């Protein structure tokens, strides 16, 4: 169809984490006068060296989504990574597509990451085409709503934002009040787990022909990237993601709350949902998922602490970190409150360390492109904080190694929550802990060559002395924090000999790191 000087009306660019048929860029578009553009580009696969499973998941999900769109009547121009002429970049592929299709307008939903939005801003000038950037309405809280919520507040805390999201969505609300008489049941969700309790397995999917082609591509083109490619068991379609969601709600959710902070040797998943991959790529609708979880409470299938805990992670924490990301970028990426400069230790890539907790979390990450939030926060993140790894270095590691990691959700969690690099914007205190916490919430210490009960010396758990070394060297920045007051009183009561023992043990470990 020729419309004046244009061959088509809209060229609609869909990014790899926008795999939703209800995405705003498709809304109102004329299927008969539009073409969808989807591209696999080396630039996106290598701006950090992403885990092989992450690349395979996204490329396969994108290819399956293109099939879904075609079946729904859309004309899709899909550029595979190994197609001849692929320029390897969003900009190059957009310009080639403009040349092929001669659209009257280029349309897209706003990207999830700042660097891509910055790129789009440059296209407004370089392409000479009209660009329409639609708001991403898959989130509950818009950018403007979050800015309004922030305005006038001296201190930002997720808990208060979460309460407003509960009221907005009506989830677990009864006549304007929280169901159960409390907003937050987190205190009920800190049980350690025994290795002899029943552990449901996540729903796994056999790779189809499309996925097999992608696995071959990734094995050939990204063989030197971190991580095991197979076995590959992720869902790569909306139908599969919905089956994984239903499996979680029916078989796993009832115990999710009790054990969401627990860690066990050899148990990679425990009672976690493993749905973040699918939500963050667009295969699952977060609000619809929360409604199904809520229904499990009202039907008597799952207890309130489990249901509230899950919903808080999605409409509270997930939405909150997105708001912080867009509010604070691009400067947020450079935050470094403690002035930490240490390079990331090599064992973050190899898993070769005598610390059983670190070995377990890293080896699991290598195998599955997944670790749950406590492994990330209180094991690998805690260690990086204690030894003073440069925040940007640990951020790039998290972004690379986890299949659910996109910068909008990963960066605030890493720099703000895990590393306290924003000086308390996101969290009220550093999440620093000694070996005692790890021993309480896991059985890792029983498998370790270090003794968690020994405080100093070559056989002592390194987390013990590193914790007090962190407290001591950052006293000028943390002493006035009300939530750290008791910690500093304890440090000051120790006496100089005990303090020297801690600092000496930490210094020896750090020298050998």
């Amino acid at each position: 169809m020729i419309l004046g000087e244009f061959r088509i009306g809209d060229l609609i660019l869909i990014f790899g984490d926008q795999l939703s048929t209800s995405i705003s860029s498709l809304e109102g578009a004329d299927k008969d006068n539009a073409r969808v553009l989807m591209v696999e580009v080396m630039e996106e696969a290598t701006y950090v060296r992403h885990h092989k499973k992450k690349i395979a998941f996204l490329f396969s999900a994108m290819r399956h989504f293109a099939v879904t769109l075609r079946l729904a009547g859309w004309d899709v121009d899909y550029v595979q990574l190994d197609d001849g002429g692929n320029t390897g970049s969003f900009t190059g592929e957009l310009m080639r597509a403009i040349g092929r299709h001669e659209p009257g307008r280029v349309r897209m939903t706003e990207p999830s990451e700042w660097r891509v939005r910055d790129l789009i801003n440059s296209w407004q000038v370089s392409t000479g085409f009209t660009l329409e950037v639609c708001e991403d309405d898959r989130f509950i809280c818009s950018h403007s709503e979050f800015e309004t919520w922030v305005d006038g507040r001296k201190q930002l805390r997720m808990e208060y934002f979460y309460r407003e999201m509960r009221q907005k969505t009506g989830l677990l609300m009864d006549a304007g009040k929280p169901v159960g008489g409390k907003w937050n049941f987190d205190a009920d969700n800190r049980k350690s787990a025994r290795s002899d309790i029943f552990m449901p397995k996540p729903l796994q999917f056999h790779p189809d022909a499309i996925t097999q082609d992608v696995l071959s591509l990734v094995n050939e083109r990204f063989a030197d990237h971190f991580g095991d490619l197979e076995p590959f068991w992720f869902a790569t379609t909306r139908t599969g993601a919905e089956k994984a969601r239903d499996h979680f709600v029916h078989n796993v959710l009832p115990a999710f709350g009790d054990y969401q902070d627990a860690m066990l040797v050899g148990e990679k998943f425990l009672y976690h949902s493993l749905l973040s991959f699918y939500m963050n790529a667009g295969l699952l609708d977060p609000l619809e998922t929360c409604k199904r979880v809520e229904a499990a409470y009202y039907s008597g299938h799952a207890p309130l602490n489990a249901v509230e805990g899950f919903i808080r992670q999605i409409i509270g924490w997930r939405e909150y970190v997105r708001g912080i990301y867009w509010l604070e970028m691009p400067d947020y990426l450079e935050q470094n409150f403690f002035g930490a400069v240490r390079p990331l230790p090599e064992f973050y890539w190899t898993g070769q360390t005598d610390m059983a907790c670190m070995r377990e979390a890293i080896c699991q990450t290598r195998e599955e492109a997944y670790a749950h939030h406590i492994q990330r926060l209180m094991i690998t993140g805690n260690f990086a904080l204690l030894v003073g790894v440069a925040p940007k270095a640990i951020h790039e590691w998290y972004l690379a190694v986890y299949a659910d990691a996109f910068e909008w959700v990963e960066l605030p969690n890493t720099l703000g929550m895990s590393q306290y690099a924003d000086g308390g914007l996101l969290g009220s205190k550093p999440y620093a802990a000694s070996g005692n916490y790890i021993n309480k919430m896991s059985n890792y210490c029983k498998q370790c060559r270090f003794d968690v009960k020994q405080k100093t010396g070559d056989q002592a758990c390194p987390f013990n002395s590193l914790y007090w070394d962190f407290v001591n060297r950052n006293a000028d920045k943390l002493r006035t924090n009300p939530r750290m007051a008791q910690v500093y009183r304890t440090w000051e009561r120790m006496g100089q000999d005990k303090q020297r023992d801690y600092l000496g043990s930490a210094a020896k470990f750090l020298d050998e790191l």
Side-chain angles (χ1 to χ4, degrees):
M1 178 183 291
I2 305 296
L3 293 178
E5 62 188 78
F6 305 120
R7 292 180 57 202
I8 62 170
D10 287 334
L11 179 65
I12 304 171
L13 175 60
I14 293 181
F15 297 110
D17 59 351
Q18 297 180 346
L19 309 182
S20 311
T21 54
S22 60
I23 196 74
S24 57
S25 56
L26 296 178
E27 287 295 313
D30 179 3
K31 291 181 183 178
D32 295 328
N33 190 32
R35 190 152 297 161
V36 173
L37 175 65
M38 298 180 68
V39 297
E40 299 169 4
V41 292
M42 188 63 75
E43 182 179 69
E44 287 303 292
T46 57
Y47 70 92
V48 294
R49 295 172 62 80
H50 295 290
H51 195 296
K52 289 194 281 287
K53 267 195 176 79
K54 181 180 186 179
I55 298 172
F57 165 61
L58 289 171
F59 281 1
S60 180
M62 288 169 65
R63 293 185 186 189
H64 282 93
F65 186 66
V67 172
T68 298
L69 290 178
R70 288 178 180 129
L71 290 174
W74 291 97
D75 191 347
V76 181
D77 180 359
Y78 192 99
V79 180
Q80 296 187 1
L81 189 77
D82 52 358
D83 283 351
N86 188 328
T87 62
S89 71
F90 280 147
T91 300
E93 288 313 297
L94 177 63
M95 297 306 293
R96 286 209 308 150
I98 288 173
R100 285 194 299 273
H101 305 303
E102 299 176 13
R105 178 177 64 172
V106 176
R107 195 169 196 238
M108 66 200 72
T109 295
E110 61 175 317
S112 67
E113 299 192 355
W114 178 273
R115 63 185 178 79
V116 183
R117 189 170 85 171
D118 204 33
L119 193 61
I120 291 171
N121 290 339
S122 74
W123 293 344
Q124 299 275 6
V125 177
S126 63
T127 65
F129 276 79
T130 301
L131 264 65
E132 180 184 359
V133 181
C134 308
E135 184 175 1
D136 191 344
D137 57 10
R138 297 175 298 169
F139 291 88
I140 298 164
C141 184
S142 68
H143 299 312
S144 59
E145 282 180 286
F146 191 80
E147 290 168 4
T148 299
W149 180 80
V150 167
D151 189 41
R153 293 178 184 268
K154 294 181 179 179
Q155 191 178 64
L156 306 183
R157 290 293 173 260
M158 189 279 289
E159 178 65 25
Y160 301 111
F161 171 81
Y162 165 58
R163 294 177 186 183
E164 292 201 14
M165 293 301 100
R166 286 272 294 277
Q167 292 170 326
K168 180 177 181 178
T169 61
L171 290 166
L172 294 179
M173 297 297 294
D174 182 12
K177 296 183 182 297
V179 170
K182 293 194 301 183
W183 292 101
N184 187 317
F185 289 83
D186 193 44
D188 298 337
N189 295 345
R190 298 170 184 166
K191 295 179 182 176
S192 57
R194 303 187 317 275
S195 58
D196 61 345
I197 61 175
F198 171 71
M199 299 286 181
K201 300 301 181 185
L203 192 62
Q204 301 191 356
F205 299 83
H206 184 73
D208 63 7
I210 291 175
T211 301
Q212 291 286 3
D213 285 345
V214 170
L215 293 176
S216 295
L217 172 72
V218 173
N219 191 50
E220 178 183 341
R221 300 292 293 274
F222 303 99
D224 60 343
H225 278 225
F226 174 79
D228 297 344
L229 180 58
E230 297 183 87
F232 184 90
W233 53 266
F234 295 160
T236 54
T237 65
R238 175 172 296 274
T239 299
E242 288 174 346
K243 288 180 179 178
R245 175 201 63 202
D246 294 344
H247 172 82
F248 167 69
V249 172
H250 295 147
N251 301 301
V252 185
L253 176 63
F256 165 77
D258 288 351
Y259 302 114
Q260 65 174 284
D261 288 2
M263 298 171 283
L264 289 174
V265 171
E267 293 292 345
K268 301 173 182 177
F269 310 117
L270 285 91
Y271 294 91
H272 291 276
S273 72
L274 282 78
L275 299 180
S276 54
F277 320 116
Y278 309 132
M279 288 188 199
N280 292 351
L283 296 178
L284 274 186
D285 179 88
L287 184 56
E288 172 61 24
T289 300
C290 286
K291 288 177 179 178
R292 288 177 181 258
V293 168
E294 179 191 42
Y297 167 70
Y298 286 124
S299 70
H301 178 67
L304 184 55
N305 69 305
V307 169
E308 186 278 321
F310 181 88
I311 288 173
R312 176 163 26 91
Q313 287 187 0
I314 306 305
I315 71 168
W317 195 250
R318 185 175 186 268
E319 295 278 336
Y320 182 69
V321 297
R322 177 182 183 253
I324 292 290
Y325 177 81
W326 286 107
L327 186 72
E328 296 297 322
M329 283 294 282
D331 295 340
Y332 198 74
L333 184 60
E334 306 300 328
Q335 295 296 304
N336 191 352
F337 179 68
F338 295 123
V341 296
R342 184 179 296 276
L344 188 73
E346 179 63 21
F347 62 70
Y348 272 79
W349 300 106
T350 66
Q352 294 177 6
T353 171
D354 288 337
M355 291 176 286
C357 57
M358 292 289 286
R359 184 173 63 246
E360 190 78 9
I362 293 166
C363 289
Q364 172 183 323
T365 297
R366 184 184 64 225
E367 293 164 3
E368 305 293 352
Y370 170 80
H372 72 69
H373 67 289
I374 294 298
Q375 291 172 306
R376 301 187 203 193
L377 178 64
M378 301 308 300
I379 304 297
T380 52
N382 183 24
F383 184 84
L385 175 67
L386 296 182
V387 303
V389 170
K392 202 169 183 179
I394 189 67
H395 146 63
E396 290 179 350
W397 184 78
Y398 280 120
L399 184 59
V401 303
Y402 292 118
D404 59 0
F406 294 87
E407 192 179 75
W408 67 267
V409 65
E410 174 276 326
L411 181 65
N413 270 304
T414 300
L415 261 67
M417 184 76 164
S418 171
Q419 301 303 295
Y420 202 73
D422 63 8
L425 175 68
L426 193 76
S428 58
K429 74 174 185 67
Y431 276 82
S434 69
N436 184 57
Y437 174 87
I438 298 167
N439 191 41
K440 176 184 175 184
M441 296 308 302
S442 79
N443 65 355
Y444 292 159
C445 300
K446 295 177 182 177
Q447 317 287 328
C448 191
R449 88 152 183 88
F450 296 108
D451 183 354
V452 70
K453 298 187 183 304
Q454 194 168 321
K455 304 304 182 184
T456 60
D458 292 342
Q459 298 305 309
C461 170
F463 281 84
N464 292 336
S465 61
L466 291 173
Y467 173 77
W468 289 113
D469 182 70
F470 168 82
V471 168
N472 178 67
R473 73 173 184 267
N474 293 300
D476 290 347
K477 292 179 179 291
L478 295 176
R479 192 185 300 275
T480 57
N481 184 320
R483 296 195 65 190
M484 296 293 292
Q486 182 57 49
V487 171
Y488 280 99
R489 284 195 291 268
T490 301
W491 175 245
E492 288 158 4
R493 286 199 302 265
M494 280 185 189
Q496 291 185 354
D497 289 345
K498 196 170 184 179
Q499 288 178 350
R500 275 195 295 269
D501 285 344
Y502 275 121
L503 300 181
S505 287
K508 186 174 187 297
F509 180 87
L510 292 171
D511 285 344
E512 297 171 354
L513 184 58

